[in-house]
Amino acid sequence: MNKFSSRLGFILTAVGSAVGMANVWGFPYKLQEGGLFFLISYIFFIALFSYVGLSSEFAIGRIAETGTIGSYEKAFESKNKNKKIGTFISMLPLFGLVLLTIGYAVVVSYIFKALFDSVTGSLMTNDVSIWYEDLSNKDYSVWPFHLAVIILTLINCLGSAKTLEKSSKFMMPAFFILFLVIAIKIITLPNALEGYKYMFRLDYDHLNIETLVSAMGQAFFSLSITGSAMMICGAYLHKDEDIIYSSKMTGLLDTIAAMVAALVMIPSVVVFSMDQAGGPGLLFQVLPTILQNIEGGRFFAIILYLAVLFAGISSLQIMFEVVVESLDYKFEKINRKLVLFVLAFFVFVVGINIEKISLWGPFMDMISIYIIPIGAMIGAVTWFYILDKKTLVDEINSGASKKYGDTWYNIGKYIYTPLVIIICILTIFM
């Protein structure tokens, strides 16, 4: 099996999988709403989830040396249980990831369209509300960009770990640099300081359990701990690499990505007295309006949407790889490239028929509210209640700079896993 050539390549690939729309439009909106209490809570949960949640998914992937299906089978085999149960259980997280891939490709197509219109200048001259109406409420409005996104993702997946690593080494640094350029520009705007003050305010009205739960859920989804995605990164990791260190670095860089996005989004909204917005509204309505009203707006629009496009493609390529590798594992004689092209065709054909936000929105809500949280809960329970404890801890200690034992494992079993279950229940019922 191909392996990552370096620790940096592994970390950047994992960060590429984690960094996405949760960072770009989810985190800024929730930070704007919850202030300093949200941020402190978020950092605490990111640290906890990176330490035990992310590391456990990396570990089982490296144990099994494969992705979703093989990881669940290995977990059940470690306790001398029927691996067919693991195969059956793995289907929900894997199916959820396939659906997520379809929906995610649509939003990345929107981003590509926004980038194209920034380059041509039409985004800077058209009425934003009309532009967004044409983008989101017409059938097949972005299909050429949709096709381009699928082709770019395909290219990045053809060489498995090697091409994933190479593309992530380019796209992730580019994402950080491009967003940093915009953040520096925002500092120069009149009254930008008021935006920063608003970000870090201590809002006593939001000093409550709702903000805490919001921070916990945001941290969880931001790290892409879905019970399916991150195992593939572990599968391509050498035995002498420190999993805990890599997990912490992934969490740190993911948090930095979210903060850089917030340093762009929140001061801009405050300076121009725009209404709070999250989701597509922030990226495709609020920000274009702001960019039309700042000097050099077209240039910064190109930088912004190029950075977000890199984040989107880097996440999509991991989603593709997870599905293809799982099928490759289960059906040994299957042609990997053929599976990759069939998957790409399926994602494209289904995706172009839900490009209207009235179809895409409910589709993504169904996935994010029900399927993904349940898949993540299945994963956490499997790693800490089904997988043999010694097998898991030994893998965590393979290549580690320090030894981990009962403390790490008990945090995972008695704190992390119950929190995942709580997140799942709250997401579904609230």
Side-chain angles (χ1 to χ4, degrees), residues 70-272:
S71 293
Y72 282 91
E73 288 183 354
K74 193 72 174 180
F76 277 81
E77 281 183 319
S78 71
K79 284 285 189 69
N80 295 318
K81 298 181 183 293
N82 190 339
K83 75 175 186 178
K84 289 183 179 180
I85 301 175
T87 305
F88 176 76
I89 287 176
S90 71
M91 289 298 106
L92 179 61
L94 190 60
F95 177 66
L97 192 70
V98 172
L99 296 181
L100 181 63
T101 304
I102 294 168
Y104 207 86
V106 175
V107 73
V108 179
S109 305
Y110 276 36
I111 293 162
F112 206 163
K113 167 65 172 172
L115 173 61
F116 180 82
D117 288 352
S118 299
V119 172
T120 63
S122 61
L123 184 59
M124 296 296 103
T125 56
N126 289 335
D127 182 289
V128 170
S129 60
I130 295 174
W131 176 83
Y132 184 65
E133 179 77 15
D134 288 340
L135 176 74
S136 62
N137 288 316
K138 290 185 177 179
D139 289 320
Y140 311 111
S141 63
V142 292
W143 78 262
F145 303 96
H146 207 142
L147 180 60
V149 165
I150 297 297
I151 291 171
L152 286 171
T153 306
L154 265 176
I155 293 170
N156 287 338
C157 291
L158 287 174
S160 190
K162 291 182 179 179
T163 49
L164 290 176
E165 182 177 4
K166 286 180 180 178
S167 60
S168 296
K169 280 184 175 180
F170 168 73
M171 287 192 288
M172 281 299 96
F175 170 86
F176 284 104
I177 292 168
L178 292 171
F179 251 103
L180 190 59
V181 169
I182 305 174
I184 293 171
K185 170 63 180 179
I186 297 301
I187 293 173
T188 68
L189 295 178
N191 299 319
L193 182 60
E194 297 304 312
Y196 302 126
K197 287 180 180 178
Y198 187 73
M199 281 178 65
F200 300 111
R201 76 194 186 283
L202 183 57
D203 188 341
Y204 291 100
D205 289 339
H206 287 91
L207 205 65
N208 51 40
I209 189 66
E210 286 82 3
T211 303
L212 192 69
V213 171
S214 176
M216 182 169 66
Q218 180 64 28
F220 177 70
F221 288 113
S222 184
L223 289 171
S224 293
I225 306 174
T226 62
S228 58
M230 287 303 192
M231 285 95 82
I232 196 65
C233 294
Y236 297 147
L237 184 62
H238 287 286
K239 287 286 187 180
D240 58 355
E241 292 293 345
D242 188 331
I243 283 179
I244 298 291
Y245 172 82
S246 297
S247 300
K248 290 177 180 178
M249 286 302 299
T250 301
L252 175 62
L253 291 173
D254 183 72
T255 303
I256 292 172
M259 280 303 302
V260 171
L263 288 168
V264 170
M265 309 291 187
I266 298 175
S268 300
V269 170
V270 173
V271 166
F272 288 94

Side-chain angles (χ1 to χ4, degrees), residues 368-382:
S368 60
I369 293 172
Y370 300 105
I371 298 176
I372 294 298
I374 293 173
M377 180 178 66
I378 290 170
V381 171
T382 302

Side-chain angles (χ1 to χ4, degrees), residues 114-115 117-119 123-124 182 287-288 291-292 294 296-307:
L115 173 61
D117 288 352
S118 299
V119 172
L123 184 59
M124 296 296 103
I182 305 174
L287 283 177
L291 289 164
Q292 286 182 350
I294 65 173
R298 181 178 175 184
F299 171 72
F300 290 104
I302 293 170
I303 291 177
L304 171 71
Y305 290 114
L306 184 61

